[in-house]
Amino acid sequence: MTDIGLRLARVESLDLSALGRTAIRLVAPPMLAALLLLGGWEALSRAGALSARLLPAPSLVFDTLVRSLGVLLEQAQPTFWGAVLGILLAAALGIVLGAAVSYSRTLMQAVYPTVVFFQLIPKVALAPVFLLWFGTGFSANVIFSVFIAFFPVVVATIAGLQAAPPAYERLCRSLMMSRAQRFLTVKFPFALPHIFNGLRIGVTFAVIGVVLGEFITAQTGLGYIILFSANNFETALLLAAILLLCGVGIVLFTFFLALEKIVMRLYDSR
């Protein structure tokens, strides 16, 4: 092997070892903390210090999750698809409104305070109003999810479209570019990281919105299972449903994180 080949091999080995150490530093502390928490919880439950009715042992929760997995997965489907539709509609409405507001000062002064006002109202207080307006069922849960997830997308879009450097705008005007061209080549690429930040926040809000709707209106979904379990003191089933609900949120959050990397890579290549 030549001297250059030895150097390249040494660099690759150093990079892999450094990457491994970085991964361990990132993963080990939270994993260790979670194991200590679960171990202490299990030990206290087996010693009788914790009531099995109020806080069952992790092993009992896991056993309930395995035994009820079929039912829970079936009930997770309306929650998952409701959150998906909610965040997609919130993304479309939020990006369009954010772009319109950022290009019109009059629209900003007229519409944005109203959006902020509705955001300040407690969402639980509005749930009965949505029940009267839209009835019960899947569509009502999706609308409630859109209403909750809408605001962070709007704010992030406005902030992102205002983040483009003025020098770029002046350069585009000097090149006689139209407003649409300036938007597609300058403003929108600069806004993309902000928009995806808003979408990641909106995903969590969308899941919350669907679950709140299921608490009040639905007869299906993980929110309904959680409420049913709480009313019947089936705490192990309640915690198993919450665990699966966390999985739904993680899947959606990871999807938008991966989508951001793909979209930003495409724009960087252009």
Side-chain angles (χ1 to χ4, degrees):
M1 182 180 294
T2 63
D3 183 59
I4 296 177
L6 289 172
R7 291 180 182 179
L8 290 175
R10 190 179 299 114
V11 169
E12 290 178 357
S13 63
L14 289 174
D15 289 342
L16 290 175
S17 61
L19 182 61
R21 289 194 299 269
T22 303
I24 292 174
R25 285 198 300 268
L26 291 175
V27 175
M31 289 292 293
L32 180 61
L35 290 175
L36 289 175
L37 176 63
L38 292 175
W41 180 3
E42 183 74 26
L44 291 174
S45 298
R46 291 183 179 274
L50 299 177
S51 171
R53 189 177 181 85
L54 298 179
L55 191 62
S59 58
L60 180 58
V61 175
F62 180 76
D63 181 65
T64 303
L65 177 62
V66 172
R67 287 188 290 105
S68 306
L69 187 60
V71 176
L72 290 175
L73 287 176
E74 181 181 355
Q75 296 298 320
Q77 292 182 24
T79 303
F80 176 81
W81 291 115
V84 169
L85 289 176
I87 188 58
L88 291 179
L89 292 174
L93 294 174
I95 292 173
V96 171
L97 182 61
V101 166
S102 66
Y103 271 99
S104 173
R105 181 170 297 179
T106 303
L107 197 61
M108 170 78 78
Q109 295 172 349
V111 175
Y112 192 68
T114 304
V115 175
V116 175
F117 171 76
F118 277 103
Q119 181 64 22
L120 295 176
I121 300 175
K123 304 304 178 292
V124 177
L126 288 175
V129 179
F130 276 74
L131 177 62
L132 292 175
W133 287 350
F134 306 107
T136 62
F138 181 77
S139 59
N141 297 336
V142 172
I143 293 172
F144 197 55
S145 175
V146 172
F147 179 74
I148 293 180
F150 172 73
F151 184 73
V153 181
V154 173
V155 174
T157 301
I158 294 173
L161 291 175
Q162 294 176 348
Y168 284 39
E169 284 280 317
R170 291 193 295 268
L171 176 62
C172 291
R173 289 193 180 95
S174 67
L175 296 174
M176 304 299 292
M177 296 176 66
S178 65
R179 176 173 289 189
Q181 289 175 324
R182 294 200 303 270
F183 177 82
L184 292 175
T185 57
V186 177
K187 283 186 170 294
F188 190 67
F190 272 98
L192 276 176
H194 297 79
I195 292 174
F196 276 107
N197 287 335
L199 287 174
R200 288 198 298 271
I201 298 172
V203 163
T204 61
F205 285 6
V207 175
I208 292 171
V210 171
V211 172
L212 285 177
E214 291 172 349
F215 281 166
I216 299 171
T217 66
Q219 298 296 316
T220 57
L222 290 178
Y224 172 73
I225 294 296
I226 291 171
L227 189 63
F228 174 83
S229 303
N231 291 335
N232 291 276
F233 289 96
E234 297 184 14
T235 314
L237 181 61
L238 186 151
L239 294 177
I242 291 176
L243 188 62
L244 189 57
L245 184 62
C246 292
V248 170
I250 291 172
V251 168
L252 293 176
F253 186 90
T254 305
F255 170 77
F256 278 99
L257 194 64
L259 181 63
E260 178 184 7
K261 292 183 180 298
I262 294 172
V263 173
M264 295 307 299
R265 188 178 296 115
L266 289 175
Y267 266 91
D268 289 342
S269 64
R270 291 176 58 187

